[in-house]
Amino acid sequence: MLKSGLSGLILAVVSVAALMGGMAPAALAQNAPPPIDVYAASPAVELMELSPSGTLIARIVVTGEERAIAVTNIDTGEHLFASTIGEAKVRDLRWIGEDKVLIISSQTRALHLLGIPRSELYFGVILDLKTQKLARVLDRTDDVLPVLYGGAQIRDTAQGPALFARAVNLYSGQVDLFRIDLNSGRGRSVAPMDWDTEDYVLDAEGAVIAMSTYVERSGRWTLMLPNGRRLRDAWSVNAPLDSPALLGMGRTPRTVLVAADRPDLAAADPESETANNLFEVDVDTGVWTKLPFEHHPDNLLRHPQTRLLIGGSRTEDDGVRYEFIEPASASRWRSITRAFGEKAPQLVSWNADQKRILVFTDSGESGLYQLVDFDRRTADALAFAYPDIPPEKVGAVRHIRYTAADGLDIPGYLTLPPGVAMPEKLPLIVLAHGGPASRDVMGFDWWAQALASRGYAVLQANFRGSDGYTRAFMEAGYGEWGRKMQTDLSDGVRFLTEQGIVDPERVCIVGASYGGYAAMAGLTLDKGVYRCGVAVAGVSDLRRMVNWEARQEGRRESQTVRYWNRFMGAARLNDRALDALSPAYLADTVDKPLLLIHGRDDTVVAIEQSRVMAEAMKRAGKPVELIELAGEDHWLSRADTRQQMLRETVRFLAANNPVD
């Protein structure tokens, strides 16, 4: 229950399960954990957005593999629209004005006639609440492939709401910007662009006021600003790896945001992961001004109506920290954080006047959406993300820090089995995140919680090279695949052993993507720590991986290839030095069982990476299992195959690292 009588905002929790339908957590036997499939199921609500007035709420609800779009009037409880959209992988949900909703989904497909290899393609659909019809974005647009190239932009123009998106013209080969007819979905080209066009910024009326280009081969990045009716090259820099980025409108309609390394204008930000600072650039004068953030943000926050910059957010050890540089927004968020106390609320959506704000909390619970209404001074519980996992079945998550062998401070999280307050000699699962330039965060993690529910302590270490920290911490990971990035994980095992929390004889390593590599490397390059390993969509042959990326892009020299070579420590493409860090070349040294799981539709790490490792293990006579997930991508987007992955993982761990 939220406390009332707080300064600036009085809140009371009001259950509105009747409004959203069946949202209360299911009752469970007192001591039995929830079924394992519950954790790997898709959240009951995947996306939720408030309309500009704040009266309507759109959401994507999930039952099994079926997804549906539903729109409800919050004030009256009237359901305005509900329709299944099948097994689409919904990636985004946004309002276009008050009576239309944009739904963006993706499919794993190849377009062989166009030379496009199997990849994740994005599509848009517009829901019209007045006509109760759906229109495909770019449908029936002459000579244009109806696939979104990049994101979509919404603007509230003087003529009404407008939608813009880039797409490939099959006749000209251009990747122009199109304005989309909101009734038919048909597009009209409004700005010519090409394959070197990296990004663009629209003003409030939808006119292009800035553009950036990037030439892959040379690594040249260019900012283009208005010069009469055209755009001119305003600033360029050679950036083969950490290139600048154009980030939308600034605090005013005639400014844009650029993340760039400009030592001539500002000293390096010690909290940034790269040399880039955040600047606001006046498109008319060309003047650059460093933004006044106290802490370097991970994400930028925009006004829900004007799309102007009003603040930023940064993931910290105990949750997401918000910093607003617009006073009214800052005041409202202070009221919310005071009211929610230690729940660490996250901003999901707000209406145009910011009087209704949708927040999400998952501290000590499996995820709860609540609607804050400043006029009514209430916070209404709208929906549980995982209604079958009640708070008492959620394991406690502790933030920890320990020292690596070379003295580097490593942050991370320890999830305990539900009900365990004084851990002692627990079996441990090291759960390594992907990326590797990614990170684990505080809050409910379905994979960690699933393993904890079966009696394991779960360590999630943000090893060197993880993002969200400093540039020095990121750079400490360069060239450390299979080296210090790997021992950062086993150093965490030793730390927890010294604390008496875990039993060092009962430790396994699990992970996906880079974490899958770490699981295999734990059995080959950092031996003697783990009893078993589970690698999901992992990289087993580093050289093969980078060569595959080069073939996918059709060029030997690209930013992607340069990125992987830097992180892996390769001097060039096809550097055979990577073989010494590749588990597939070290399979004969493995003396512990390994489970490999991989989706057949993975377009990020090809399934051949797991097949190559399985074959190498079999040739060496080593214990290995390979499970292929039909129809699954790199992100485990399907609930049924995600559940299959989790069931097989738990089975394997129970056999090779039993709790009792």
Side-chain angles (χ1 to χ4, degrees):
M1 179 71 71
L2 301 180
K3 297 178 180 179
S4 59
L6 296 173
S7 174
L9 180 64
I10 301 175
L11 298 174
V13 174
V14 180
S15 175
V16 289
L19 171 62
M20 307 305 285
M23 296 298 169
L28 295 167
Q30 185 171 0
N31 296 320
I36 200 67
D37 279 1
V38 166
Y39 293 90
S42 298
V45 177
E46 282 189 331
L47 296 166
M48 193 178 290
E49 286 289 315
L50 289 170
S51 70
S53 71
T55 303
L56 309 180
I57 189 165
R59 61 200 184 279
I60 300 296
V61 295
V62 185
T63 303
E65 286 305 311
E66 290 290 316
R67 284 160 176 78
I69 170 72
V71 181
T72 302
N73 186 306
I74 299 171
D75 295 334
T76 66
E78 179 185 2
H79 296 295
L80 303 180
F81 184 86
S83 175
T84 180
I85 50 178
E87 298 185 4
K89 295 181 282 189
V90 181
R91 304 301 189 184
D92 199 6
L93 182 71
R94 282 184 278 167
W95 285 88
I96 310 174
E98 189 68 17
D99 57 11
K100 292 182 174 63
V101 180
L102 174 66
I103 307 160
I104 295 179
S105 62
S106 73
Q107 298 176 20
T108 308
R109 290 173 54 186
L111 300 175
H112 298 296
L113 292 177
L114 302 178
I116 299 176
R118 197 165 180 80
S119 55
E120 204 70 10
L121 303 181
Y122 288 78
F123 303 86
V125 172
I126 301 169
L127 162 64
D128 189 322
L129 289 175
K130 291 182 178 179
T131 64
Q132 301 279 289
K133 293 182 179 179
L134 298 169
R136 286 202 310 159
V137 173
L138 297 167
D139 193 27
R140 293 178 295 144
T141 303
D142 293 343
D143 300 322
V144 172
L145 185 68
V147 175
L148 301 180
Y149 187 88
Q153 301 285 333
I154 298 171
R155 290 291 183 268
D156 295 315
T157 72
Q159 290 74 40
L163 175 65
F164 300 85
R166 291 181 70 192
V168 178
N169 187 301
L170 300 175
Y171 179 75
S172 68
Q174 293 287 100
V175 194
D176 292 347
L177 179 68
F178 292 82
R179 181 166 180 159
I180 309 301
D181 185 291
L182 299 181
N183 296 314
S184 67
R186 185 173 297 177
R188 174 175 58 86
S189 178
V190 293
M193 298 181 182
D194 58 31
W195 294 99
D196 289 336
T197 304
E198 182 187 61
D199 209 345
Y200 61 94
V201 179
L202 303 178
D203 66 11
E205 292 299 312
V208 177
I209 57 171
M211 190 184 299
S212 62
T213 63
Y214 187 75
V215 181
E216 282 277 2
R217 186 173 297 277
S218 66
R220 187 75 174 174
W221 190 92
T222 301
L223 173 66
M224 304 175 69
L225 297 177
N227 181 25
R229 294 186 177 182
R230 298 179 178 271
L231 296 176
R232 61 178 175 84
D233 293 356
W235 181 74
S236 292
V237 64
N238 287 325
L241 271 168
D242 298 317
S243 58
L246 189 57
L247 301 172
M249 283 193 293
R251 291 171 291 180
T252 67
R254 297 297 292 176
T255 58
V256 298
L257 304 179
V258 179
D261 180 12
R262 294 292 305 266
D264 55 321
L265 299 179
D269 184 341
E271 291 186 341
S272 175
E273 297 161 25
T274 68
N276 289 345
N277 274 303
L278 291 174
F279 293 95
E280 188 173 45
V281 181
D282 189 304
V283 300
D284 297 314
T285 66
V287 173
W288 292 54
T289 305
K290 188 175 183 295
L291 285 170
F293 283 111
E294 181 182 355
H295 298 280
H296 188 89
D298 300 328
N299 295 292
L300 299 175
L301 301 171
R302 301 188 173 281
H303 191 280
Q305 185 171 33
T306 66
R307 274 78 177 182
L308 297 178
L309 179 72
I310 58 174
S313 66
R314 177 180 177 84
T315 301
E316 298 191 346
D317 291 340
D318 57 353
V320 180
R321 174 193 179 118
Y322 293 87
E323 181 182 345
F324 289 94
I325 54 180
E326 190 272 322
S329 302
S331 176
R332 291 195 185 281
W333 193 253
R334 279 195 300 270
S335 297
I336 289 175
T337 54
R338 284 196 299 266
F340 280 80
E342 297 181 355
K343 282 292 186 179
Q346 300 171 44
L347 174 62
V348 176
S349 174
W350 44 15
N351 72 322
D353 63 11
Q354 299 173 290
K355 291 184 178 180
R356 284 184 169 177
I357 302 179
L358 186 63
V359 300
F360 179 79
T361 58
D362 63 352
S363 177
E365 59 195 358
S366 61
L368 174 63
Y369 291 92
Q370 297 185 65
L371 178 66
V372 175
D373 189 317
F374 278 83
D375 288 337
R376 292 172 52 222
R377 301 161 72 85
T378 59
D380 294 345
L382 291 183
F384 293 92
Y386 293 91
D388 293 322
I389 307 176
E392 63 271 17
K393 298 298 181 181
V394 175
V397 183
R398 297 179 178 179
H399 174 252
I400 62 171
R401 284 184 177 269
Y402 57 89
T403 304
D406 66 350
L408 186 65
D409 191 41
I410 304 297
Y413 301 95
L414 179 67
T415 302
L416 299 174
V420 173
M422 302 291 291
E424 184 177 359
K425 295 289 184 180
L426 293 173
L428 176 69
I429 304 300
V430 174
L431 184 59
H433 68 66
S438 179
R439 64 164 292 170
D440 285 308
V441 298
M442 179 66 82
F444 183 88
D445 182 298
W446 64 266
W447 202 348
Q449 289 290 338
L451 298 176
S453 75
R454 268 51 198 171
Y456 298 102
V458 182
L459 170 64
Q460 294 172 280
N462 286 324
F463 43 81
R464 70 192 68 205
S466 299
D467 66 13
Y469 296 97
T470 64
R471 181 182 181 186
F473 193 83
M474 174 68 74
E475 292 178 347
Y478 294 166
E480 296 297 338
W481 278 56
R483 299 185 177 101
K484 291 181 180 179
M485 285 166 65
Q486 193 67 35
T487 56
D488 285 349
L489 298 172
S490 52
D491 285 339
V493 176
R494 286 180 274 275
F495 167 77
L496 295 175
T497 299
E498 292 167 0
Q499 300 294 310
I501 294 173
V502 305
D503 180 352
E505 301 300 319
R506 295 192 292 164
V507 183
C508 284
I509 182 168
V510 177
S513 194
Y514 172 82
Y517 167 81
M520 289 183 273
L523 303 186
T524 53
L525 293 162
D526 196 13
K527 296 170 65 64
V529 182
Y530 308 105
R531 290 179 59 157
C532 65
V534 180
V536 180
V539 180
S540 69
D541 185 333
L542 275 60
R543 183 161 56 95
R544 183 188 293 256
M545 168 72 180
V546 182
N547 289 347
W548 178 80
E549 288 277 14
R551 291 195 303 273
Q552 290 290 100
E553 296 190 354
R555 54 170 62 93
R556 293 177 57 86
E557 185 65 23
S558 70
Q559 191 172 41
T560 301
V561 171
R562 292 189 288 266
Y563 169 86
W564 286 122
N565 283 342
R566 177 174 70 176
F567 241 120
M568 293 177 179
R572 66 193 71 84
L573 184 66
N574 204 38
D575 187 346
R576 292 187 179 276
L578 294 179
D579 296 350
L581 303 173
S582 297
Y585 284 87
L586 306 170
D588 59 344
T589 69
V590 176
D591 57 1
K592 304 296 181 184
L594 173 65
L595 172 62
L596 302 166
I597 304 176
H598 215 123
R600 290 177 182 162
D601 282 354
D602 195 330
T603 60
V604 178
V605 177
I607 194 172
E608 69 170 348
Q609 289 286 332
S610 288
R611 290 172 177 168
V612 164
M613 186 66 183
E615 286 301 315
M617 293 275 286
K618 290 175 182 177
R619 286 196 304 270
K622 302 299 182 177
V624 64
E625 295 180 53
L626 171 60
I627 296 172
E628 299 187 2
L629 305 176
E632 185 53 271
D633 59 23
H634 187 70
W635 306 279
L636 297 171
S637 298
R638 293 177 56 88
D640 58 350
T641 42
R642 188 165 59 245
Q643 289 169 332
Q644 181 186 357
M645 180 281 294
L646 187 56
R647 286 195 300 269
E648 296 290 356
T649 297
V650 170
R651 170 194 60 80
F652 183 83
L653 294 175
N656 295 286
N657 191 24
V659 172
D660 297 324

